[in-house]
Amino acid sequence: MSEKKMSSSRKHHLKSLMLSIAKGLLEEEEREREEERERYMEENCPPVSMPRSMQELQELCRQIHHKIEVIDEERYDLDLKVNKSNKEIDDLKIKVQDLMGKFKKPVLRKVRMSADAMLKALLGSKHTVNMDLRANLKQVKKEVKEEDKQLRDVGDWRKNIEDKSDRKKMFDS
C-alpha cells in the first residue's frame, strides 16, 4: 500500500485537537485531585477553633501530637513495605538474569602460590620479603670436649654416624 502524506494543515488540526483533549483531561484530573484533597482535609483535619482557655489549648496540642504519632507510624510502616518490596524486586531481577543465562559467571580456578608470591600480591612489588630462611643460616660447629675426643679415637659408632650425616647435609645444600 502506498502511504499518503498528511498535509501540514491536517497535521496542525490533529495536533491542536489532541492538545485540547489532553488539556481537558488534565483539568479534570486537577479538579478530582483538589476534591480528594478537600475530602481528606475535612475527614482528618476538622476546622480549628481557637481555644480560649489553657485546658482547651492543651487538649488541642494532645490531639495534634496524637495525629502526628499516627501519621509517623503509618509512614514508618509504608517505608518498611516499600523497602521489602524493593528487595523482592531486586531478588526477582537476579533470578531473571540467572534464568536468562546471558551473563555467565566465570569459573574460579584453583591457584597455587608460594608464600613469597602471596606476600608480593598482598603487599605489592615494593615490599618483597625473602622467605628462604635456610640460605641465611650459618653453619655451626659443635665444640668437642676432651672426653669426646677420646671416645672418637676409640671409635664410638654413634659419632661416626653423626659425622657422616653432617657431611651429607653439607653436600645437599
Side-chain angles (χ1 to χ4, degrees), residues 56-97:
E56 290 176 1
L57 184 62
Q58 288 176 345
E59 185 61 34
L60 178 67
C61 288
R62 276 192 213 110
Q63 290 174 356
I64 290 173
H65 284 294
H66 177 70
K67 287 182 181 180
I68 289 172
E69 288 175 5
V70 169
I71 290 172
D72 279 345
E73 288 174 4
E74 288 176 4
R75 184 175 50 95
Y76 180 75
D77 291 342
L78 290 174
D79 190 40
L80 287 177
K81 286 180 184 178
V82 167
N83 288 339
K84 184 179 177 184
S85 299
N86 286 341
K87 286 180 183 176
E88 288 177 8
I89 289 170
D90 290 340
D91 290 343
L92 290 174
K93 283 181 183 177
I94 291 171
K95 285 183 182 178
V96 166
Q97 282 184 352

Side-chain angles (χ1 to χ4, degrees), residues 12-65:
H12 181 69
H13 175 69
L14 287 175
K15 189 174 180 181
S16 63
L17 182 63
M18 287 178 64
L19 288 174
S20 65
I21 292 171
K23 181 181 176 188
L25 290 173
L26 287 173
E27 287 174 354
E28 186 180 331
E29 209 173 280
E30 185 65 33
R31 266 195 313 271
E32 287 176 3
R33 221 180 291 138
E34 189 64 35
E35 289 172 3
E36 180 70 29
R37 183 176 178 275
E38 286 181 20
R39 264 190 271 125
Y40 179 81
M41 292 299 279
E42 286 175 10
E43 229 175 73
N44 294 323
C45 303
V48 178
S49 60
M50 293 304 286
R52 300 205 172 135
S53 69
M54 187 67 130
Q55 288 179 342
E56 290 176 1
L57 184 62
Q58 288 176 345
E59 185 61 34
L60 178 67
C61 288
R62 276 192 213 110
Q63 290 174 356
I64 290 173
H65 284 294

Side-chain angles (χ1 to χ4, degrees), residues 1-6:
M1 285 190 163
S2 62
E3 293 183 28
K4 295 182 180 177
K5 288 191 175 181
M6 204 181 305

